[in-house]
Amino acid sequence: MVKLSVIVPFHNVRPYAPDTLRSLRANTREDFEFVLVDDCSTDGTADLLRRAQDDIEGVVVHRHERNAGLATARNTGLDAARGEYIAFLDGDDWLAPGHYAGLLARTEALGCAFVRTDHVQVTGTSRTVHRVPHGLRGVVGDPRAAILPAGRTTSVDYAYAWAGLYHRSLLDRGLLHFTDGLRTAEDRPWIWRLHREADSFAVLGDLGHFYRRGVASSLTRIGDERQLDFIKAYDQVLSDTAADRDADTLMPKAVRTYCAVIFHHINSVGKFEPSVARTLRTLCSAALGNMPQRVLDDVLDSMDTGRATVLRRLRRRSATAEGATAA
C-alpha cells in the first residue's frame, strides 16, 4: 500500500527543478510515491521529469498537453494519487532530507485529519521562518474554531497547501480538490473549505519545507490578467461562507480578508499592465459593491484610516457606476 502521495506540479521551472528533484530523492521511501505533473512546460523541465521517472524511486509523471494552471495541475495529481496521506510541493521549492517521513510519523501519532506546518521562506540568500498563525502546537483541535477571530490573522490566512499533510479521507470527501482554472489564489477557497468541513487538525513546528520567493516566472511577479483570478477565488469564499450554517459569525472574517487583499492589489497597481490595472479597479469596485453591505460597513470602520479610505473610494465608484446604469 502507498502510504504517502506527494503531488508536485511543474511549469517552466527548469533553473529550480533540479533542487526540487534532489530533495525528493532525499525523501524516498518504498511506500512513498511522487506524482509529478508537467503543466505543459516548454523550457526543458519536461526532460528533467522524464529522467527523474527513471532515476528516483516512486516517481510517476503526468503531462498536460496545454497549460491549465496550478489548481488544475494539482487536481490531476489528486486524481492519480494512491496514498493514505497526501502532500503538496511546488516545482520550485525543496525539502529537507527525511522531512516527509518525520512529518508522517508525527501526524499519525496525533490521529487527526490534517496538519499544518511552519516553513522557511527563501528570497535570494535570505531565509526567514514563517509560522502558522495558531498558538497551539501538537494539539488536536477543531479546524472551524481556528477561522476566527475576524480581526486577527488566523489559520485560513496561512493558505499554503504545501505546508501540511492531509489524510485520504479528506480527498474521498471532496475536500482536497481545487477550483479548476484558477491561476492565482487557488488555495484560498480551498483552505476555507478545509477548515469549515474537516473534523480535526493540528499544527506542527516542522521547518523542513523551503519556499522559494522572487521566482521570475511566478504569477506574483507577473502583472497580467491571470493575477485577477483572486477576485474569482474570494468571490467563491464569500459565496461558500454565505451558505454555511455559521454564516453570520464567519462572514466578517471573509469580508475583512477580501478587503485586505483588494487593498494590497490596488496599492500595487503599478506592477500591472495599464489595461489590466483598469480592469482591476473595475472588478475590485464591483466586488465591494456585491459584499454584504452592513458587514462591509463594520469591517471598514474597524480598519486603519489609510486602507479604509482607499476601499471606501472604490466602493463609491461602484455606487456611481450603478447609478449611471440605472439612469
Side-chain angles (χ1 to χ4, degrees):
M1 181 178 178
V2 176
K3 193 69 173 178
L4 173 67
S5 297
V6 183
I7 296 164
V8 197
F10 293 81
H11 176 66
N12 289 350
V13 287
R14 176 64 180 80
Y16 312 108
D19 290 340
T20 307
L21 295 172
R22 276 192 293 269
S23 75
L24 289 180
R25 186 191 301 276
N27 275 269
T28 56
R29 208 171 85 173
E30 62 181 8
D31 54 352
F32 287 2
E33 68 172 3
F34 304 121
V35 184
L36 313 186
V37 182
D38 175 24
D39 194 21
C40 198
S41 296
T42 58
D43 68 341
T45 298
D47 294 332
L48 291 178
L49 302 190
R50 280 192 289 269
R51 290 200 291 272
Q53 187 162 306
D54 296 330
D55 296 341
I56 301 176
E57 180 183 5
V59 163
V60 179
V61 178
H62 296 263
R63 176 172 169 81
H64 288 171
E65 294 304 318
R66 63 177 184 83
N67 179 250
L70 181 58
T72 302
R74 284 177 174 165
N75 287 344
T76 295
L78 286 168
D79 291 341
R82 299 176 296 152
E84 182 183 353
Y85 286 87
I86 307 293
F88 299 97
L89 174 67
D90 285 352
D92 49 9
D93 296 343
W94 75 95
L95 309 160
H99 170 65
Y100 282 136
L103 181 58
L104 177 61
R106 285 185 283 277
T107 302
E108 289 190 299
L110 289 168
C112 54
F114 71 98
V115 298
R116 305 287 285 149
T117 67
D118 303 333
H119 72 275
V120 180
Q121 179 175 299
V122 181
T123 307
T125 59
S126 173
R127 298 189 178 192
T128 309
V129 172
H130 286 251
R131 305 287 187 186
V132 184
H134 186 78
L136 297 175
R137 292 293 192 273
V139 178
V140 177
D142 178 7
R144 177 177 285 261
I147 296 173
L148 299 175
R152 198 169 71 202
T153 301
T154 68
S155 293
V156 291
D157 301 307
Y158 187 87
Y160 311 110
W162 38 257
L165 201 63
Y166 313 92
H167 193 270
R168 185 175 191 88
S169 59
L170 298 171
L171 179 60
D172 295 339
R173 292 176 57 192
L175 300 182
L176 290 187
H177 278 78
F178 297 81
T179 302
D180 267 321
L182 283 181
R183 299 284 178 154
T184 190
E186 74 291 328
D187 46 11
R188 300 302 174 144
W190 179 88
I191 193 68
W192 271 81
R193 183 178 67 236
L194 198 59
H195 272 274
R196 285 196 318 269
E197 303 297 335
D199 298 321
S200 60
F201 92 120
V203 174
L204 297 175
D206 293 55
L207 288 173
H209 191 113
F210 295 83
Y211 167 44
R212 195 190 302 269
R213 292 277 290 176
V215 176
S217 59
S218 170
L219 282 183
T220 60
R221 307 267 292 184
I222 299 172
D224 67 19
E225 69 281 352
R226 290 174 293 179
Q227 283 265 22
L228 303 183
D229 275 6
F230 83 90
I231 295 284
K232 297 177 184 177
Y234 277 98
D235 281 349
Q236 183 180 342
V237 170
L238 289 193
S239 176
D240 292 347
T241 302
D244 189 87
R245 66 179 185 270
D246 294 322
D248 291 344
T249 303
L250 298 179
M251 188 60 78
K253 173 64 177 176
V255 169
R256 186 181 182 89
T257 303
Y258 199 172
C259 285
V261 174
I262 287 174
F263 174 80
H264 168 76
H265 284 281
I266 291 296
N267 201 44
S268 306
V269 72
K271 73 178 181 181
F272 292 97
E273 300 163 1
S275 62
V276 178
R278 289 191 295 271
T279 303
L280 171 67
R281 292 189 183 94
T282 299
L283 291 176
C284 289
S285 175
L288 290 167
N290 290 331
M291 291 178 188
Q293 294 302 292
R294 290 185 180 179
V295 177
L296 180 57
D297 285 335
D298 292 341
V299 166
L300 294 178
D301 287 343
S302 70
M303 297 181 86
D304 62 88
T305 302
R307 289 193 297 172
T309 299
V310 170
L311 294 168
R312 287 190 174 106
R313 188 180 300 127
L314 271 174
R315 186 190 193 186
R316 286 196 296 272
R317 174 177 173 170
S318 173
T320 300
E322 288 180 4
T325 301

